[in-house]
Amino acid sequence: MSCANCHDPELAWADGRSVSFGHNRKNGVRNSPSVFNMAYHTTFFWDGRASTLESQAMFPLTDPVEMASHEAVAVKHIKRIKGYRPYFKEAFGDEKITLTRIFEAIASYERTIVSGKSKFDRFISGDKNLFTDEEVLGLHLFRTKARCVNCHFSPLFSDQQFHNLGLSYYGRKHEDLGRYKITKDAADVGRFKTASLREVARTAPYMHNGLIPSLDEVIQMYDAGMARPKPRKDQENDPLFPTTDPLLQKLSLTKEERAALKAFLLTLNSPAKRERMPDLP
């Protein structure tokens, strides 16, 4: 398995699948987020289990559903390829190949994967006639009635925090407890990291489980206030039963407002560019 198996530059550095597959075509449980602009993130993975790009790169290597390998095996394989030695020497000063250096190299490359200037960027930089009336309305709704800006702000269009959208399937098939698996804090059950909206129109499907296939359906779900599961009788006193984030409310957007919101979201795409495959050792 390679990193590009789930982060394909031809697919906006994601993989276009609801959930990714890994070693021996095993299905994972989460959607692969795009690696666009990861240089500017402070936590990684849907559950925030890694705090640096270097540590993030380590998790898929040993995950039995992803690469199903081992640190020592990875180093051994890279050491066998003589053509890598001059590259390590150029990058680090000598030919020594270590796991730390491998992850530093991967993370350094990931930091170069940055969005270009979008239509939105050019608009706020002073090209005031660039937006259509519909896109201007969409931006206004994004900041006001549609409530998107509560979680999707900053140049990344993400607060980099964790929220419960009601999609954890608690006590059901496909259950995913999200951030709780890392913190063991009951308040974190069902919370997942706020995805960046940069390049959002190119990174379908959406949500941590790839449940929602299109932007139109994402907007409809938020318009309805997102999912609000009710506990079954046997769950009424369950201290872990998750509560949908109170920031999410029914919006009552009109058809025209939903279309305008989508039109604005499309302005967050940057011009697509092809990634040329380098000559590898």
Side-chain angles (χ1 to χ4, degrees):
M1 306 300 296
S2 74
C3 303
N5 185 73
C6 299
H7 303 289
D8 188 335
E10 300 290 322
L11 298 170
W13 299 95
D15 65 3
R17 298 177 180 275
S18 295
V19 295
S20 298
F21 67 85
H23 180 68
N24 284 340
R25 301 286 291 192
K26 291 177 184 175
N27 278 323
V29 296
R30 291 181 182 163
N31 176 262
S32 283
S34 170
V35 295
F36 260 123
N37 307 309
M38 283 295 153
Y40 304 109
H41 286 250
T42 54
T43 58
F44 304 89
F45 294 103
W46 285 104
D47 53 23
R49 79 189 84 147
S51 59
T52 67
L53 272 175
E54 287 80 3
S55 61
Q56 179 277 325
M58 188 180 302
F59 281 94
L61 176 66
T62 56
D63 189 301
V65 179
E66 294 188 57
M67 295 182 177
S69 188
H70 187 279
E71 291 96 334
V73 173
V75 174
K76 183 179 176 182
H77 283 172
I78 299 299
K79 281 183 175 179
R80 283 177 177 169
I81 304 173
K82 294 180 180 179
Y84 272 124
R85 294 174 188 171
Y87 287 105
F88 275 84
K89 184 174 182 179
E90 186 174 351
F92 298 105
D94 59 59
E95 294 184 355
K96 187 176 181 181
I97 296 174
T98 67
L99 195 66
T100 297
R101 287 180 170 185
I102 289 171
F103 290 138
E104 285 178 352
I106 292 171
S108 295
Y109 172 63
E110 284 189 89
R111 292 187 179 100
T112 71
I113 304 169
V114 178
S115 293
K117 207 167 188 180
S118 67
K119 187 176 183 179
F120 169 78
D121 295 319
R122 289 182 284 134
F123 175 73
I124 63 169
S125 293
D127 195 345
K128 62 184 181 181
N129 296 318
L130 191 61
F131 266 20
T132 65
D133 289 345
E134 184 179 45
E135 290 164 348
V136 171
L137 173 59
L139 171 57
H140 175 67
L141 291 165
F142 185 93
R143 298 170 61 228
T144 56
K145 181 179 179 181
R147 302 175 59 84
C148 311
V149 78
N150 282 325
C151 301
H152 295 283
F153 55 83
S154 81
L156 278 177
F157 287 86
S158 169
D159 60 5
Q160 300 200 56
Q161 300 301 310
F162 302 86
H163 300 279
N164 184 345
L165 306 186
L167 302 175
S168 64
Y169 286 81
Y170 187 79
R172 299 158 58 192
K173 186 179 180 183
H174 306 307
E175 176 186 85
D176 190 337
L177 303 186
R179 181 79 173 145
Y180 172 78
K181 291 184 176 181
I182 308 305
T183 67
K184 303 305 178 186
D185 182 346
D188 284 331
V189 174
R191 287 183 177 175
F192 296 89
K193 184 182 172 184
T194 303
S196 170
L197 296 185
R198 292 273 176 183
E199 317 294 342
V200 67
R202 300 168 57 198
T203 55
Y206 304 102
M207 307 304 169
H208 72 274
N209 50 14
L211 177 72
I212 306 180
S214 71
L215 267 182
D216 292 292
E217 289 161 289
V218 169
I219 292 169
Q220 288 169 11
M221 286 286 287
Y222 277 106
D223 188 24
M226 268 296 172
R228 298 183 178 275
K230 302 294 183 185
R232 301 187 305 260
K233 194 161 188 177
D234 62 322
Q235 297 174 324
E236 288 176 353
N237 297 314
D238 186 344
L240 294 183
F241 193 86
T243 302
T244 301
D245 197 305
L247 284 171
L248 297 166
Q249 299 178 14
K250 189 171 182 179
L251 304 175
S252 300
L253 298 173
T254 66
K255 181 179 178 182
E256 290 73 21
E257 288 173 332
R258 292 196 299 272
L261 188 57
K262 180 181 178 182
F264 167 67
L265 291 174
L266 295 180
T267 71
L268 303 181
N269 279 10
S270 63
K273 59 181 181 181
R274 299 286 182 179
E275 188 79 3
R276 287 188 175 275
M277 176 66 75
D279 294 325
L280 300 174

